[in-house]
Amino acid sequence: GSYAAAVGAAGADVDRLAPSVAQRRFPALRFTNEAEILHDRTGGVIAAGETVQALHRLVASGGADVLEDTRVLEIDRSGQAIRIVSERGVLHADRVVIASGAWLRELVPVVRPDVRVVPQTVEYFRLGVPARSLPAWVHFGGAESGVTYGLADLGRDALKAAHHVTQGPDTNPDEVAPPAHGETDALRGVLDRILAVPVLESLGIERCLYTMTPTEDFVIDHWPGDPRVAFASACSGHGFKFAPLTGRILAELVVNGRADLPGGPDMASLFALRPTAVPGASAPA
Ligand SMILES: Cc1cc2nc3c(=O)[nH]c(=O)nc-3n(C[C@H](O)[C@H](O)[C@H](O)COP(=O)(O)OP(=O)(O)OC[C@H]3O[C@@H](n4cnc5c(N)ncnc54)[C@H](O)[C@@H]3O)c2cc1C
């Protein structure tokens, strides 16, 4: 429906498959005759943990210090040098980028009205066939079951699956409750409907966090009134793959004051914290 229309409008390189064709090509999935099926041949899976470790090695080899397990408690912009007060002491900086994910609101209070934290439940399953024999898939179940996705886990033979939850009460990222009653049963119900291979057992669940804005757009901007500080909420469950672009916009914002990237005069304006949503946001805070 609307997703297929949006994909078409964006010019994405996808094939539309008739259910009978999809059934032959992907026998591990079940397709109803009414299903609208898009096949994206350009998709891939990023090894997220290894990517972060590689980036860590890259910045360390370039001479940067990486302080792990060090919580920043306060960013004091009142002086000529910015003071970063952490659990391990105070650092001084000319420029600061804040990308603290679901904890962004602690360090950048101006985003509070626009950024919510929504917990997710990811579950791992052992299948009756190798999980890698299935394609990565996203199922749009409408009002009945919402959006569900699945892909082979990296490093072991398991299916990783979850509902993509964008609505729900705001959550304190330090106090995430266990999944709601019936949540895992609902996921299992969707899998039983759309997988044509046996789901043998659950291998466990994980809880993690989406940061969400009302439009699901990212927020990447200067601290209002202070071009020395930039922040990002690369959110809505889509931020990882865009990290090279997000990082470049942030770097250009704090170094050059604007982000001159291909495709627009100032890419950063695409992701600006909307002043309409935050009265008085242009005043220093
Ligand atoms: C279940 C799930 C599935 C997802 N699937 C996808 C996907 O398929 N594709 C995709 O592109 N994206 C996906 N995402 C989204 C992706 O993980 C995020 O968009 C991305 O991690 C955001 O990166 P970030 O660096 O902004 O924040 P994070 O990765 O959250 O990193 C923020 C870091 O800041 C640290 N921090 C927080 N507060 C402080 C503080 N005060 N001091 C010091 N450090 C602090 C945190 O500990 C954390 O390490 C998914 C997310 C979830 C939860």
Side-chain angles (χ1 to χ4, degrees), residues 97 218 220-222 230-231 242-261 266-271:
V97 168
F218 296 180
I220 309 173
D221 208 346
H222 279 126
F231 59 86
F242 295 116
L245 183 61
T246 313
R248 183 169 164 184
I249 293 173
L250 284 165
E252 295 204 5
L253 272 179
V254 282
V255 174
N256 303 334
R258 51 181 286 130
D260 291 310
L261 300 181
D266 183 358
M267 287 284 284
S269 64
L270 274 179
F271 305 109

Side-chain angles (χ1 to χ4, degrees), residues 171-252:
T171 297
N172 176 342
D174 289 317
E175 293 172 12
V176 180
H181 182 69
E183 204 179 314
T184 52
D185 289 345
L187 177 62
R188 183 63 186 259
V190 174
L191 295 186
D192 288 343
R193 276 205 301 285
I194 65 176
L195 297 187
V197 295
V199 179
L200 300 182
E201 62 172 332
S202 170
L203 300 173
I205 63 164
E206 273 174 5
R207 293 280 272 168
C208 68
L209 302 167
Y210 280 179
T211 33
M212 301 294 305
T213 56
T215 57
E216 301 192 18
D217 287 324
F218 296 180
V219 177
I220 309 173
D221 208 346
H222 279 126
W223 189 291
D226 192 342
R228 302 172 303 166
V229 181
F231 59 86
S233 175
C235 44
S236 312
H238 299 295
F240 203 92
K241 59 188 156 287
F242 295 116
L245 183 61
T246 313
R248 183 169 164 184
I249 293 173
L250 284 165
E252 295 204 5

Side-chain angles (χ1 to χ4, degrees), residues 39-223:
H39 180 211
D40 181 350
R41 287 164 286 101
T42 66
V45 177
I46 301 171
E50 288 165 28
T51 303
V52 171
Q53 284 167 12
L55 290 170
H56 186 151
R57 287 196 298 275
L58 194 68
V59 294
S61 69
D65 291 326
V66 180
L67 305 178
E68 287 189 274
D69 297 323
T70 307
R71 193 165 193 139
V72 172
L73 305 172
E74 186 193 347
I75 294 180
D76 173 7
R77 302 173 302 103
S78 58
Q80 201 172 0
I82 301 162
R83 288 176 73 245
I84 299 147
V85 183
S86 84
E87 290 168 335
R88 294 206 218 177
V90 178
L91 301 166
H92 293 90
D94 295 331
R95 301 274 192 276
V96 172
V97 168
I98 307 170
S100 49
W103 291 264
L104 187 69
R105 298 176 295 191
E106 282 177 16
L107 296 175
V108 189
V110 73
V111 303
R112 275 187 195 149
D114 281 316
V115 172
R116 290 165 52 252
V117 174
V118 181
Q120 309 292 309
T121 303
V122 177
E123 190 161 4
Y124 298 87
F125 299 92
R126 192 161 67 85
L127 303 179
V129 297
R132 287 206 169 218
S133 64
L134 275 69
W137 50 266
V138 182
H139 178 259
F140 294 81
E144 192 192 336
S145 60
V147 178
T148 312
Y149 61 88
L151 66 160
D153 196 15
L154 292 173
R156 65 172 170 168
D157 182 17
L159 174 77
K160 173 180 181 176
H163 284 304
H164 173 69
V165 182
T166 57
Q167 307 287 329
D170 193 11
T171 297
N172 176 342
D174 289 317
E175 293 172 12
V176 180
H181 182 69
E183 204 179 314
T184 52
D185 289 345
L187 177 62
R188 183 63 186 259
V190 174
L191 295 186
D192 288 343
R193 276 205 301 285
I194 65 176
L195 297 187
V197 295
V199 179
L200 300 182
E201 62 172 332
S202 170
L203 300 173
I205 63 164
E206 273 174 5
R207 293 280 272 168
C208 68
L209 302 167
Y210 280 179
T211 33
M212 301 294 305
T213 56
T215 57
E216 301 192 18
D217 287 324
F218 296 180
V219 177
I220 309 173
D221 208 346
H222 279 126
W223 189 291

